[in-house]
Coordinates of all heavy atoms in Angstrom, one line a residue:
A1 N -109.1 -38.8 -57.1 CA -109.0 -37.4 -57.5 C -110.2 -36.6 -56.9 O -110.1 -35.5 -56.5 CB -109.0 -37.3 -59.0
M2 N -111.3 -37.3 -56.8 CA -112.5 -36.6 -56.3 C -112.3 -36.1 -54.8 O -113.0 -35.2 -54.4 CB -113.7 -37.5 -56.4 CG -114.2 -37.8 -57.8 SD -114.8 -36.3 -58.7 CE -116.5 -36.2 -57.9
D3 N -111.4 -36.7 -54.1 CA -111.1 -36.2 -52.8 C -109.7 -35.5 -52.8 O -109.7 -34.3 -52.4 CB -111.0 -37.4 -51.8 CG -112.3 -37.9 -51.3 OD1 -113.3 -37.1 -51.5 OD2 -112.5 -39.0 -50.9
K4 N -108.7 -36.1 -53.3 CA -107.3 -35.5 -53.1 C -107.1 -34.3 -54.0 O -106.5 -33.3 -53.6 CB -106.3 -36.6 -53.4 CG -106.3 -37.7 -52.3 CD -105.1 -38.7 -52.5 CE -105.1 -39.8 -51.5 NZ -104.8 -39.3 -50.1
V5 N -107.6 -34.3 -55.2 CA -107.4 -33.2 -56.1 C -108.4 -32.1 -55.8 O -108.1 -30.9 -55.8 CB -107.5 -33.6 -57.6 CG1 -107.4 -32.4 -58.5 CG2 -106.4 -34.6 -57.9
A6 N -109.7 -32.5 -55.6 CA -110.8 -31.6 -55.4 C -110.5 -30.7 -54.2 O -110.9 -29.6 -54.1 CB -112.1 -32.3 -55.2
F7 N -109.7 -31.3 -53.2 CA -109.5 -30.6 -52.0 C -108.5 -29.4 -52.1 O -108.5 -28.4 -51.3 CB -108.9 -31.5 -50.9 CG -108.4 -30.9 -49.7 CD1 -109.3 -30.6 -48.6 CD2 -107.1 -30.6 -49.5 CE1 -108.9 -30.0 -47.5 CE2 -106.7 -30.0 -48.3 CZ -107.6 -29.7 -47.3
L8 N -107.6 -29.4 -53.1 CA -106.5 -28.5 -53.2 C -106.9 -27.0 -53.1 O -106.3 -26.3 -52.3 CB -105.7 -28.8 -54.5 CG -104.9 -30.1 -54.5 CD1 -104.4 -30.4 -55.9 CD2 -103.8 -30.2 -53.4
P9 N -107.8 -26.5 -53.9 CA -108.1 -25.1 -53.8 C -108.7 -24.7 -52.5 O -108.4 -23.6 -52.0 CB -109.0 -24.8 -55.0 CG -109.6 -26.2 -55.3 CD -108.6 -27.2 -55.0
F10 N -109.5 -25.6 -51.9 CA -110.1 -25.3 -50.6 C -109.0 -25.2 -49.6 O -108.9 -24.3 -48.7 CB -111.1 -26.3 -50.2 CG -111.8 -26.0 -49.0 CD1 -112.9 -25.1 -49.0 CD2 -111.5 -26.6 -47.8 CE1 -113.5 -24.7 -47.8 CE2 -112.1 -26.2 -46.6 CZ -113.2 -25.3 -46.6
G11 N -108.0 -26.2 -49.6 CA -106.9 -26.2 -48.7 C -106.1 -24.9 -48.8 O -105.5 -24.5 -47.8
L12 N -106.0 -24.3 -50.0 CA -105.3 -23.1 -50.2 C -106.0 -21.9 -49.7 O -105.5 -21.0 -49.0 CB -104.9 -23.0 -51.7 CG -104.1 -21.8 -52.1 CD1 -102.7 -21.9 -51.5 CD2 -104.0 -21.7 -53.6
L13 N -107.3 -21.8 -50.0 CA -108.0 -20.5 -49.8 C -108.4 -20.3 -48.3 O -108.6 -19.1 -47.9 CB -109.2 -20.4 -50.7 CG -110.4 -21.3 -50.4 CD1 -111.4 -20.7 -49.4 CD2 -111.2 -21.6 -51.7
M14 N -108.5 -21.3 -47.6 CA -108.8 -21.2 -46.1 C -107.9 -20.2 -45.5 O -108.3 -19.2 -44.8 CB -108.8 -22.5 -45.4 CG -110.0 -23.4 -45.7 SD -111.4 -22.9 -44.6 CE -110.8 -23.5 -43.0
D15 N -106.6 -20.4 -45.6 CA -105.6 -19.5 -45.0 C -105.4 -18.2 -45.8 O -105.1 -17.2 -45.2 CB -104.3 -20.2 -44.7 CG -104.4 -21.0 -43.4 OD1 -105.4 -20.9 -42.7 OD2 -103.4 -21.7 -43.1
K16 N -105.6 -18.3 -47.1 CA -105.5 -17.0 -47.8 C -106.5 -16.0 -47.4 O -106.3 -14.8 -47.2 CB -105.7 -17.3 -49.3 CG -104.4 -17.7 -50.1 CD -104.6 -17.7 -51.5 CE -103.3 -17.9 -52.3 NZ -102.4 -16.8 -52.2
W17 N -107.7 -16.5 -47.1 CA -108.8 -15.6 -46.5 C -108.3 -15.1 -45.2 O -108.4 -13.8 -45.0 CB -110.1 -16.4 -46.4 CG -111.2 -15.5 -45.9 CD1 -112.0 -14.6 -46.6 CD2 -111.6 -15.4 -44.5 NE1 -112.8 -14.0 -45.7 CE2 -112.7 -14.4 -44.5 CE3 -111.2 -16.0 -43.3 CZ2 -113.3 -14.1 -43.3 CZ3 -111.9 -15.7 -42.1 CH2 -112.9 -14.7 -42.1
R18 N -107.8 -15.9 -44.3 CA -107.4 -15.4 -43.0 C -106.2 -14.5 -43.1 O -106.1 -13.6 -42.3 CB -107.2 -16.6 -42.0 CG -108.5 -17.2 -41.5 CD -108.2 -18.2 -40.5 NE -107.7 -19.5 -41.0 CZ -107.8 -20.7 -40.4 NH1 -108.3 -20.7 -39.1 NH2 -107.3 -21.8 -40.9
W19 N -105.3 -14.8 -43.9 CA -104.1 -14.0 -44.1 C -104.5 -12.5 -44.4 O -104.0 -11.6 -43.9 CB -103.1 -14.5 -45.2 CG -102.5 -15.8 -44.8 CD1 -102.4 -16.4 -43.6 CD2 -101.8 -16.7 -45.7 NE1 -101.8 -17.6 -43.7 CE2 -101.4 -17.8 -45.0 CE3 -101.5 -16.6 -47.1 CZ2 -100.7 -18.8 -45.6 CZ3 -100.9 -17.7 -47.7 CH2 -100.4 -18.8 -46.9
G20 N -105.5 -12.4 -45.3 CA -106.0 -11.1 -45.7 C -106.8 -10.4 -44.6 O -106.6 -9.2 -44.4
V21 N -107.5 -11.2 -43.8 CA -108.2 -10.7 -42.6 C -107.2 -10.2 -41.6 O -107.3 -9.0 -41.1 CB -109.2 -11.7 -42.0 CG1 -109.7 -11.3 -40.7 CG2 -110.3 -12.0 -43.0
F22 N -106.2 -11.0 -41.3 CA -105.3 -10.6 -40.2 C -104.4 -9.4 -40.7 O -104.1 -8.6 -39.8 CB -104.4 -11.8 -39.9 CG -105.0 -12.8 -39.0 CD1 -105.0 -14.2 -39.4 CD2 -105.7 -12.5 -37.8 CE1 -105.6 -15.1 -38.7 CE2 -106.3 -13.5 -37.1 CZ -106.3 -14.8 -37.5
S23 N -104.1 -9.3 -41.9 CA -103.2 -8.2 -42.4 C -104.0 -6.9 -42.5 O -103.4 -5.9 -42.7 CB -102.6 -8.6 -43.8 OG -103.6 -8.5 -44.8
G24 N -105.3 -7.0 -42.6 CA -106.1 -5.8 -42.7 C -106.5 -5.5 -44.2 O -107.3 -4.6 -44.5
E25 N -105.9 -6.3 -45.1 CA -106.3 -6.2 -46.5 C -107.7 -6.5 -46.7 O -108.4 -5.9 -47.6 CB -105.4 -7.2 -47.3 CG -105.7 -7.1 -48.8 CD -104.9 -8.2 -49.6 OE1 -103.9 -8.7 -49.1 OE2 -105.2 -8.5 -50.7
T26 N -108.3 -7.4 -45.9 CA -109.7 -7.6 -45.9 C -110.3 -7.1 -44.6 O -110.2 -7.7 -43.6 CB -110.0 -9.2 -46.0 OG1 -109.4 -9.7 -47.2 CG2 -111.5 -9.4 -46.0
P27 N -111.0 -5.9 -44.7 CA -111.6 -5.4 -43.5 C -112.9 -6.2 -43.1 O -113.4 -6.9 -44.0 CB -111.9 -4.0 -43.9 CG -112.1 -4.0 -45.3 CD -111.1 -5.0 -45.8
A28 N -113.3 -6.0 -41.9 CA -114.5 -6.7 -41.5 C -115.7 -6.4 -42.4 O -116.6 -7.3 -42.5 CB -114.9 -6.3 -40.0
S29 N -115.8 -5.3 -43.0 CA -116.9 -4.9 -43.8 C -116.9 -5.7 -45.1 O -117.9 -5.6 -45.9 CB -116.8 -3.4 -44.2 OG -115.6 -3.1 -44.8
Q30 N -115.8 -6.5 -45.4 CA -115.7 -7.2 -46.7 C -115.4 -8.7 -46.4 O -115.0 -9.4 -47.3 CB -114.7 -6.6 -47.6 CG -115.0 -5.2 -48.0 CD -113.9 -4.7 -48.9 OE1 -113.1 -5.4 -49.5 NE2 -113.8 -3.3 -49.0
Y31 N -115.7 -9.2 -45.2 CA -115.4 -10.6 -44.9 C -116.1 -11.5 -46.0 O -115.5 -12.4 -46.5 CB -116.0 -11.0 -43.5 CG -115.0 -10.6 -42.4 CD1 -115.5 -10.8 -41.1 CD2 -113.8 -10.0 -42.6 CE1 -114.6 -10.4 -40.0 CE2 -112.9 -9.7 -41.5 CZ -113.4 -9.9 -40.2 OH -112.6 -9.6 -39.2
S32 N -117.4 -11.3 -46.2 CA -118.2 -12.2 -47.0 C -117.7 -12.1 -48.5 O -117.6 -13.1 -49.2 CB -119.7 -11.9 -46.9 OG -120.2 -12.4 -45.7
K33 N -117.5 -10.9 -48.9 CA -117.1 -10.6 -50.3 C -115.8 -11.3 -50.6 O -115.6 -12.0 -51.6 CB -117.0 -9.2 -50.6 CG -116.5 -8.9 -52.1 CD -116.4 -7.4 -52.3 CE -116.1 -7.1 -53.8 NZ -114.9 -7.8 -54.3
A34 N -114.8 -11.2 -49.6 CA -113.5 -11.8 -49.8 C -113.6 -13.3 -49.9 O -113.0 -14.0 -50.7 CB -112.6 -11.4 -48.7
W35 N -114.5 -13.9 -49.0 CA -114.7 -15.4 -49.0 C -115.3 -15.9 -50.3 O -114.8 -16.8 -50.9 CB -115.5 -15.7 -47.8 CG -115.8 -17.2 -47.7 CD1 -117.0 -17.8 -48.0 CD2 -115.0 -18.2 -47.1 NE1 -116.9 -19.2 -47.7 CE2 -115.7 -19.4 -47.2 CE3 -113.7 -18.2 -46.6 CZ2 -115.1 -20.6 -46.7 CZ3 -113.1 -19.4 -46.2 CH2 -113.8 -20.6 -46.3
T36 N -116.3 -15.2 -50.7 CA -117.0 -15.5 -51.9 C -116.1 -15.4 -53.1 O -116.1 -16.3 -54.0 CB -118.3 -14.7 -52.1 OG1 -119.2 -14.9 -51.0 CG2 -119.0 -15.1 -53.4
D37 N -115.3 -14.4 -53.2 CA -114.4 -14.1 -54.3 C -113.3 -15.2 -54.4 O -113.0 -15.7 -55.5 CB -113.7 -12.8 -54.2 CG -114.7 -11.6 -54.5 OD1 -115.8 -11.9 -55.0 OD2 -114.3 -10.5 -54.2
L38 N -112.8 -15.6 -53.2 CA -111.8 -16.7 -53.2 C -112.4 -18.0 -53.6 O -111.7 -18.8 -54.3 CB -111.1 -16.7 -51.8 CG -110.2 -15.6 -51.4 CD1 -109.8 -15.7 -49.9 CD2 -108.9 -15.8 -52.3
R39 N -113.6 -18.3 -53.1 CA -114.2 -19.6 -53.5 C -114.4 -19.6 -55.0 O -114.2 -20.7 -55.6 CB -115.6 -19.7 -52.8 CG -115.4 -19.8 -51.3 CD -115.4 -21.2 -50.8 NE -116.7 -21.7 -50.7 CZ -117.0 -23.0 -50.5 NH1 -116.1 -23.9 -50.4 NH2 -118.3 -23.4 -50.3
L40 N -114.8 -18.5 -55.6 CA -115.0 -18.5 -57.0 C -113.7 -18.6 -57.8 O -113.6 -19.4 -58.7 CB -115.8 -17.2 -57.4 CG -116.1 -17.0 -58.9 CD1 -116.9 -18.2 -59.4 CD2 -116.7 -15.7 -59.2
R41 N -112.7 -17.8 -57.3 CA -111.5 -17.8 -58.0 C -110.7 -19.1 -58.0 O -110.2 -19.6 -59.1 CB -110.6 -16.7 -57.4 CG -109.2 -16.6 -58.0 CD -108.3 -15.6 -57.3 NE -106.9 -15.7 -57.8 CZ -105.9 -15.0 -57.2 NH1 -106.2 -14.1 -56.2 NH2 -104.7 -15.1 -57.7
Y42 N -110.7 -19.7 -56.8 CA -109.8 -20.9 -56.7 C -110.7 -22.2 -56.9 O -110.2 -23.1 -57.6 CB -109.2 -21.0 -55.4 CG -108.0 -20.0 -55.3 CD1 -108.2 -18.8 -54.6 CD2 -106.8 -20.3 -55.8 CE1 -107.1 -17.9 -54.5 CE2 -105.7 -19.4 -55.8 CZ -105.9 -18.2 -55.1 OH -104.9 -17.3 -55.0
Q43 N -111.8 -22.3 -56.4 CA -112.6 -23.5 -56.5 C -113.6 -23.6 -57.7 O -113.9 -24.6 -58.1 CB -113.5 -23.8 -55.2 CG -112.7 -24.3 -54.0 CD -113.7 -24.6 -52.9 OE1 -114.3 -23.7 -52.3 NE2 -113.8 -25.9 -52.6
G44 N -114.0 -22.4 -58.1 CA -115.0 -22.4 -59.2 C -116.3 -22.8 -58.6 O -117.1 -23.5 -59.4
V45 N -116.7 -22.5 -57.4 CA -117.9 -22.9 -56.8 C -118.6 -21.6 -56.3 O -118.0 -20.6 -56.0 CB -117.8 -23.9 -55.7 CG1 -117.1 -25.2 -56.1 CG2 -117.1 -23.3 -54.5

């Protein structure tokens, strides 16, 4: 579980961040905020 389960939220948020960037929902001025928010929301880190 420390590998297979722990990986799940990271595996999800990587492309969620890029989907937001490509769609324009996340502008360049908020790249870091969006990344930090997703890491907190999904991984709790």
Side-chain angles (χ1 to χ4, degrees):
M2 292 294 284
D3 281 341
K4 293 185 181 293
V5 176
F7 174 82
L8 292 169
F10 186 81
L12 181 67
L13 71 85
M14 279 279 287
D15 276 355
K16 274 190 172 288
W17 181 81
R18 282 188 286 199
W19 294 345
V21 167
F22 286 127
S23 72
E25 180 182 341
T26 300
S29 61
Q30 295 180 23
Y31 280 175
S32 287
K33 180 182 186 303
W35 179 258
T36 300
D37 288 350
L38 285 168
R39 296 265 278 169
L40 178 61
R41 176 183 174 186
Y42 287 102
Q43 283 187 290
V45 303

